[in-house]
Amino acid sequence: MTATPTGRTPTGRLSAHHPLTLEISREFAVEPADLWAALTESSRTAAWIGPWSGDPASGTIAIRLNAEDGAPEQTARITACEPPHRLGVTVDAGAGQPWRLSAEVSAAPDGSRVTLLHHLDDPATAEFSGPGWEFYLDRLAAVITDAEDPAEIDFEPDYVPGMCPHYRALVEDA
């Protein structure tokens, strides 16, 4: 894996357990319950991906992606919620291609790990969705570690185009 100009290295791979699924993980020196809260509480998601609104008990929420142009609001259907270990959502990303995502939280030697799984309907989308999830997970890391301001993390050129070749290569033979 090749680092981008500012030293960010893509970490994603194709899952060994789920066909045509990107898998990207990060580890944190926090308890799994704290990591779960950072992934699921609107007041905490606001800092790294965006706030959400609605009643999760209804099975649908709206999330405003705060790092995207225009901060678009997207509908997310909750497909699994097993606190504090697994969250599954299907996000209406437009263009008839929903994002089928899950986040798995587990204990790690020095705290906890989150593994994001993005189930791809079209392998060609990996080239941009992989770098996008790397970007958002690095923003999550910035919030949890307080090591950098998530707003200072630049999508271009580090993630796109920097990480695109890595993700394109993952799915070339898929």
Side-chain angles (χ1 to χ4, degrees), residues 22-171:
L22 294 179
E23 183 176 303
I24 307 168
S25 297
R26 298 289 188 276
E27 289 190 15
F28 303 101
V30 298
E31 295 297 316
D34 189 44
L35 179 55
W36 178 260
L39 294 170
T40 61
E41 293 176 7
S42 183
S43 62
R44 307 254 330 253
T45 62
W48 64 275
I49 192 168
W52 58 264
S53 60
D55 179 5
S58 74
T60 302
I61 60 169
I63 185 165
R64 183 163 306 283
L65 300 176
N66 62 11
E68 307 290 327
D69 286 339
E73 185 172 273
Q74 296 177 315
T75 301
R77 185 173 51 85
I78 300 167
T79 58
C81 187
E82 302 161 16
H85 302 291
R86 185 168 180 272
L87 176 66
V89 296
T90 299
V91 178
D92 177 9
Q97 291 193 345
W99 297 340
R100 293 177 299 127
L101 309 165
S102 59
E104 298 174 355
V105 175
S106 58
D110 293 322
S112 57
R113 170 185 304 112
V114 61
T115 301
L116 177 94
L117 300 166
H118 183 151
H119 310 281
L120 302 171
D121 291 322
D122 177 358
T125 61
E127 181 176 1
F128 296 102
S129 58
W133 293 121
E134 296 267 10
F135 171 73
Y136 278 116
L137 288 176
D138 285 349
R139 287 172 56 94
L140 171 64
V143 168
I144 289 177
T145 64
D146 202 27
E148 64 184 316
D149 180 349
E152 298 291 318
I153 298 174
D154 292 324
F155 188 63
E156 294 178 5
D158 286 338
Y159 300 90
V160 171
M163 294 184 183
C164 292
H166 170 78
Y167 283 94
R168 189 172 37 250
L170 287 179
V171 295

